[in-house]
Amino acid sequence: MDGIYLDNNATTRVDPLVVDAMLPFFTEKFGNPSSMHSFGDSVGRNIREARGQVQALLGAEFDHEIVFTSCGTESDNAAIMSALRTLPDRREIITSAVEHPAVLSLCRHLEEHEGYRLHVIPVDRRGRLDIDAYVAALSTNVAVASIMWANNETGNLFPVEQLAKLAKTFGIVFHTDAVQAVGKVPIDLKSSVIDMLSLSGHKLHAPKGTGALYVRRGTRFRPLLRGGHQERERRAGTENTTGIIGLGKACELALAHLTDENTRVRGLRDRLEKGIVESVGNCFVTGDAMGRLPNTSNIAFEFIEGEAILLHLNREGVAASSGSACTSGSLEPSHVMRAMDIPFTAAHGSIRFSLSRDNTAEQIDHVLAVLPPIIKRLREMSPFWSEGAPAKMAFEPEYA
Ligand code: PLP
């Protein structure tokens, strides 16, 4: 499909090399890896290879620390529920205010319906975690701390290694949702104390419906799905062989592209961001400019609605996403923007551009050509905007 796709934190295009790797597993290599014959046996070997590819991207010490799942959401749920079941006397959970719903809504459910005490750690205006509040919440009553590695909206990176070390001193299981981080930043779990880590295939050029959970060797584990003996009894269900092969290949490619992601893709993101901020007034980058994913830029445009910007960009062939969602007919800023206390007038107009290795400099130039006139037109129509005013930002983010 033609068009400029800048919504890679929502999902990515499956890499054609991933598709090629998967194809034989639909037809020739269709065996069930649990079967005791050559059809199954050979697929079993390919799954082991895929596990090794995921292990390599995560820098994990052992391949059996990787459990294949159906998505990031399943991995998050499996990790948190396992921690709670292995530590039944501990009735508290720590998480952050900006987690993906895959973590946050599960934690809220556990609070409301199962009586757990939930510590939701706040963030500041740049979306940085309040470490003091995190430390204050730690105790031997807490079973699990689940803090994301990278935020999907702002791209902010959290100091998960430091947080994991702090948690360990209280015997707390530390889980991180690394769905947005894997393949974008280097990860070396060998030299880490993180107990569990979630990833999702469709965020790194593998198909949807694939994912994995890293479970450090020695971590006690209770499966979410019970049934057959697959995945060393940690995730029942006949393996999604094609998906697993695709995920493995995608991880191999992600490792090979990691430098590109951190140099060329970062350069494109910076060029886009700088170009927009310089040519469009009354806008600012949300998030932590110093500690972000290399591919993500979230920009708040004052006095206009993000949805309107998206519609106009879409007409120009550009796909991005907004930080507000339509709930009951009104546009509500996302829980992330609200947690950061970004004023309504700006949070409403926040747009997330998320790049991938598929993007080119020409595409970025196209966006830089079409976006400023769109913003100008929309502001002219906005009841909150009058020509020439406000010359100054209504809200200046507190950058150090
Ligand atoms: N966690 C984060 C940070 C995400 O961005 C997403 C997807 O957007 C998920 C979890 C859920 O992953 P999946 O779509 O594979 O269930």
Side-chain angles (χ1 to χ4, degrees):
M1 201 181 97
D2 285 332
I4 299 174
Y5 186 73
L6 299 179
D7 200 12
N8 287 279
N9 287 8
T11 198
T12 55
R13 181 180 82 117
V14 179
D15 192 300
L17 294 173
V18 169
V19 177
D20 288 348
M22 291 172 68
L23 284 176
F25 292 84
F26 286 104
T27 49
E28 302 138 49
K29 300 186 128 200
F30 61 88
N32 184 330
S34 303
S35 301
M36 302 289 281
H37 47 60
S38 56
F39 287 86
D41 210 36
S42 78
V43 177
R45 277 196 297 279
N46 294 112
I47 289 187
R48 272 197 294 285
E49 198 184 317
R51 209 181 297 283
Q53 289 163 320
V54 181
Q55 174 198 0
L57 180 61
L58 299 182
E61 195 165 0
F62 305 100
D63 68 348
H64 60 74
E65 293 176 318
I66 312 302
V67 180
F68 289 114
T69 65
S70 68
C71 59
T73 302
E74 183 192 327
S75 301
D76 287 341
N77 275 249
I80 293 168
M81 293 313 296
S82 169
L84 297 181
R85 286 172 183 160
T86 53
L87 294 168
D89 298 334
R90 296 184 176 214
R91 302 286 301 166
E92 297 184 18
I93 302 170
I94 299 178
T95 192
S96 85
V98 294
E99 297 297 309
H100 187 273
V103 167
L104 204 47
S105 71
L106 170 65
C107 291
R108 294 233 186 264
H109 173 86
L110 291 164
E111 180 187 38
E112 281 165 32
H113 301 284
E114 298 194 23
Y116 282 92
R117 179 169 177 213
L118 184 61
H119 302 268
V120 180
I121 309 303
V123 295
D124 67 10
R125 281 225 157 147
R126 288 166 69 181
R128 292 174 304 192
L129 198 74
D130 182 340
I131 307 281
D132 291 340
Y134 177 82
V135 170
L138 295 169
S139 80
T140 51
N141 296 325
V142 178
V144 59
S146 180
I147 306 284
M148 67 200 327
W149 194 307
N151 184 265
N152 42 304
E153 288 191 31
T154 57
N156 273 14
L157 295 165
F158 289 123
V160 281
E161 198 53 48
Q162 181 195 352
L163 303 175
K165 283 190 181 128
L166 289 165
K168 299 315 298 168
T169 59
F170 292 88
I172 297 168
V173 176
F174 187 84
H175 164 253
T176 183
D177 174 341
V179 162
Q180 294 293 346
V182 173
K184 295 174 190 158
V185 294
I187 293 181
D188 185 32
L189 290 172
K190 276 190 296 299
S191 50
S192 154
V193 296
I194 292 167
D195 296 304
M196 293 195 254
L197 174 149
S198 303
L199 67 91
S200 170
H202 75 101
K203 311 288 184 182
L204 60 139
H205 304 278
K208 293 162 189 61
T210 63
L213 177 65
Y214 162 85
V215 184
R216 177 174 298 283
R217 190 169 78 140
T219 306
R220 286 162 64 214
F221 192 77
R222 297 279 181 281
L224 196 60
L225 297 187
R226 290 179 186 274
H229 303 297
Q230 293 89 354
E231 298 296 287
R232 293 174 163 238
E233 315 258 353
R234 290 170 301 177
R235 203 277 185 180
T238 301
E239 295 86 342
N240 169 11
T241 44
T242 45
I244 289 172
I245 301 305
L247 178 59
K249 184 69 188 174
C251 286
E252 181 194 292
L253 294 172
L255 190 56
H257 283 102
L258 203 53
T259 310
D260 178 58
E261 185 82 33
N262 280 282
T263 49
R264 194 186 66 86
V265 176
R266 182 187 293 274
L268 292 179
R269 188 278 309 269
D270 290 347
R271 173 170 170 172
L272 174 71
E273 194 168 277
K274 195 161 171 275
I276 293 173
V277 172
E278 281 175 6
S279 59
V280 177
N282 290 81
C283 69
F284 61 91
V285 175
T286 69
D288 184 2
M290 302 310 291
R292 271 183 308 158
L293 290 172
N295 78 319
T296 308
S297 179
N298 189 309
I299 302 184
F301 298 91
E302 288 191 312
F303 308 114
I304 29 181
E305 280 180 356
E307 305 283 304
I309 304 173
L310 286 188
L311 288 175
H312 283 77
L313 276 176
N314 192 40
R315 270 191 222 142
E316 300 286 349
V318 181
S321 75
S322 85
S324 40
C326 192
T327 10
S328 355
S330 70
L331 283 174
E332 279 291 323
S334 72
H335 72 287
V336 176
M337 293 294 128
R338 279 183 279 134
M340 290 164 67
D341 204 18
I342 305 281
F344 201 70
T345 47
H348 234 209
S350 85
I351 297 288
R352 178 186 70 188
F353 300 96
S354 49
L355 284 64
S356 81
R357 59 181 186 249
D358 291 338
N359 294 122
T360 63
E362 292 70 39
Q363 293 180 333
I364 298 305
D365 289 344
H366 179 74
V367 181
L368 289 175
V370 300
L371 184 64
I374 291 176
I375 303 292
K376 186 168 184 296
R377 263 201 318 278
L378 289 173
R379 282 199 175 135
E380 281 163 3
M381 292 188 293
S382 166
F384 306 108
W385 177 268
S386 55
E387 193 50 55
K392 193 176 166 326
M393 295 274 296
F395 166 68
E396 294 283 354
E398 292 147 15
Y399 287 143

